[in-house]
Amino acid sequence: MSTPTTSLKPSAWRYVPLVLVALIFVFPLEFMIMSSLKPSEQLLADSNSFRAFLPVGDISLNNYVAAFARAPVALFLFNSVFITATTVALALFFCSVAAFSFVFLQWRGRDTIMTVLLTTLVIPIEIIAVPLLLLVNQLPWVGLHGFSTGWLNSYQVQIIPFSADALTVYLFVQYFKDLPKELIEAARIEGASWWQIYYKVIMPLAGPVTATAAILKFLAMYNQFLWPLMVTQAEEYRPVMVGLQYFFQLNIAWGEVMAYLTLITVPVLIFYLLLQRAFIASIASTGIKG
Amino acid sequence: MQSGKKNQNSEATGWLMAFPATAIIGLFIIVPFLLGFYFAFTNQRFISPNPTEYVGTSNFHQLLDLGVLTLEPERDTATQEIKKDAAGALTYPTVRSLTRNNPDMPYFNGMREWFSWHSGDNIKVVVARDVVFMKAIVNTFIFVLVVAPLQGGIALLLALMINQKLPGINFFRTIYFMPVVVSIVVVSLLWRFIYSGDNGLLNALLGFFTFGAFKPVDWLGNPATALPSIIAMSIWQAVGFHMVIWLSGLQTIPVSLYEASDIEGATSWQKFRFVTWPGLRNTAILVLVVITMQAFTLFSQVAVMTQGGPVDSTQTIVFQAVQRGYAKQDIATGSAISVILFALVITISLIQRYLTRESNT
Amino acid sequence: MKKLIFGGMMMASLMASTVAYAATDLTMWYHGAGNDVEKKIVMGLIEDFNKSQADFAVKLEQFPQAAYNDSVTAAAVAGKLPDILDVDGPVMPSWAWAGYMAPLTVDPAAYAKFLPGPIGKYNGKVYSVGLWDAAVALVGRKSVLEANGIRIPTVDKPWTGEEFDAALLKIQASGKFEYPFDLGMAWKGEWYPYAFSPFLQSFGGDIVNRDGYKTADGTLNGAEAVKFGKWWQSLFTRKLVPGTSQSPADRDTGLASGKYALSWNGNWAALGMVDKFKDDVVFMPAPDFGKGPKIGAASWQFGVSAASKHQDGANKFIQFALQDKYLTQFSDGIGLIPPTPESAAASNNYKAGGPMEVFFGLSKAQATLRPVYPGYPVAAKVFEKALSDLANGSEVQATLDAAADEITKDIEKNKNYTK
């Protein structure tokens, strides 16, 4: 990565384009956060001037209080985080282990299966949502209340169908392909089993791709809308994006909408800012392997 | 012996390791897709008491049938002279008069005008059975063809800016990447404010920086600017991701190559053209493929911001699939659109793979 | 923090289940999530019912309105409907046709005095009843109309189409408003057919030919419909109304903030206007474009799921809910029109001399149901798109032809929606 060296003497003008571009990337988010602090009428009045970016006028956290009163925001956030985290963890395991098998092991049907799986890369959830709904409605489940049929209104219906996907497999396959084969050979000669090689030799080297896959999966899951809308008829299982609909009443309280948008965005932003070095480093090193 | 046992072992373990992902993708993506593939050849409805029937390829005909009609100027029935209206212009029969209840042209029955041009005194009209879907295909291709090079190019430009050795450069890199982690639904809602026609932020800013010379534009309400507005926002949201991929490519180019070209007195452009660009070939392919795939599935922005309008200027394939299959409860047509999308994307990725085959070692 | 919240929730649900002890649970779905006032009234009604008898205990599941139909349709397909469900009036025939809803067995006397709008009839049977109706009016200010020398129309003597047009031009010429009139183009979805198809009907056209519901050809693209389409398009080309890209915020606040002089809006938004303009506000009937002034009828209604194992209990609940006092409560809480003369007389806003009394008259005099056939959800989408396209300048005849074709084709594909 580019570690800035102090030996260079930067002139201030080199920062001008950098700052201008930074403003372009920041202004909508700045607008969102500032608006969340203003009453709706002021927010709308401010939205066509530089006041939109400034914490001026009647500033308060009232919108946040109102948002929590309107909808169970904490529940929605919990659901989203729980669903997303579980799915990411499962997907990382299932897909990395499958990719490991595709790249390092020899078995009959391997290439066919891998090709078919990777072809599904081009199928977005929107176009299979309806048949998927009909399918999950027929599936059995054993839970706390015993045996039941149909997965609607549950966490599993939002988790299991997404706990493996072609993109994640693809990322791991691409990464594993470039690892030196000698590592495997050496471990085999020492008598290590395939599972041992997977978690003792390969996965410790797969940090970057794991992080990349985790980020992409996290974003895809956290932002899901159509599917949870179709399968959560009970409030207790709704995630944040469905919760957003609670705010689109007649006479929309835009201040509250902005507060809610901020509430569902800021956790992700903070998570990103804390981990951004690892995030970007990981994507970058996966990129090379492409 | 030893190696035979090992192979047997790897046969079983290989299956076992691939099983969970294969089963999940198989059950939750491939099976529904095949189910959809089957629906595409039936009259399946979302809600209906009627039994599902096999209808062959009629859903695909409904979506894809095209034809060309030639409209000849109307002639006086008695004299066979070409009629002119009061202003001296030629008059033509309407397309609908030819495509409706016309036993001479059964194929054209129910088709509508997509676009037309003059050819001598005649007008050639391309008619389609589903004009909206045709527009959706065209818009999707425009989106892909504009976004792929533009987003890739801007991302490269940003990567070059970020690749400078300056104190605090990481801060900028962080900022540029930030929109990537914000939900596209959130982004679309925010930009609806920004693009607003009468009191939007963008118009206000443009007006300010041009000292009022800029005339406000109704960005999402004008058929000419709606799709470009969505393109710009999509690039804004995703460009940081590809910037980082480029950046990684840039950093694999050995510094010694730049030093050598410095000694030879190369200009910045020459350095980019002869050192940087050749070193980025593999990265370029990755960026192009990823952007193309994502661009084909354009949906959320349209659903939040324009609903396909104004006048179909932002219809897209996936939006139409959802609109038909879900909102209009016609699962059969929605599924047929999915099949068409799948075929399109597979074809294009095969072409891309073929074109870039040498470098994909 | 999180543990605390969840602990609290568990407690609440435990308490709820002890109350429900020994009674049969009935689930009910309602579209009011995110609307606190509405939620309180519904909860109060449910509590009263549960206390009034020991056999059944109704439990509420709330949905945000914007996602209600999508979510419920998905559940219907999956066969997971509740016992009692809330359905938007014009969507009911679709669900009844598909076999998701059972005809009500509520004593007809319970709704004998109701306005016609809230009663959901399909194929001669009542499937749903609403606790209120909604109505749309031209909302404006007396002072503005008087200043421009415009006659204020009444239910007995509404504006003619020409009068209405002239009024808009006069206001536009005054130069005091960004737009003289606001149709509410920002409200996508059901608002379009609900609010605008009555204009079409007043011109003499319709979304679909109601004689047998076999075609839209001739009604949606006939001479009257084209006349409507040209007038509709001219509203936009003459800059008399904001277009489809109107921001939702302007829709909500434009009249109050003086951007618009007149607004085509529902009684649910009327309370805000009364607060803002007091005596100056005036609610006027729809203009008469030839076939009489018309507004949409039917709002949300309650029905019983065909899959419910306790249809008797569900009907009992609905009958209970139809009491005048609840009708009045809903009206007072969210500004809706009470469906009986008694509940209207008892309400704050619709009693004689109340600020919104006029809506009761409007609903009685002008309300017209949207097409009552199972293809309505499809036709509504087609109609919405056609009106958006016209507003953005598509050729009138071609656009209406295409819309009529699509609706007709849908009817054919569904075998005339007969079973």
Side-chain angles (χ1 to χ4, degrees), chain B residues 105-121:
Chain B
M105 294 192 250
Y107 174 77
F108 288 97
N109 192 27
M111 285 190 164
R112 285 171 57 206
E113 175 172 349
W114 181 13
F115 57 90
S116 64
W117 69 92
H118 280 268
S119 134
D121 273 352

Side-chain angles (χ1 to χ4, degrees), chain B residues 63-82:
Chain B
L63 286 165
L64 297 174
D65 277 355
L66 289 174
V68 180
L69 280 179
T70 304
L71 300 185
E72 291 171 7
E74 283 180 330
R75 287 166 193 275
D76 192 291
T77 30
T79 63
Q80 287 302 304
E81 262 176 49
I82 293 179

Side-chain angles (χ1 to χ4, degrees), chain C residues 310-325:
Chain C
H310 310 287
Q311 293 187 8
D312 51 336
N315 277 290
K316 225 170 153 183
F317 172 78
I318 292 175
Q319 180 148 1
F320 183 85
L322 297 178
Q323 297 177 59
D324 277 335
K325 69 170 170 180

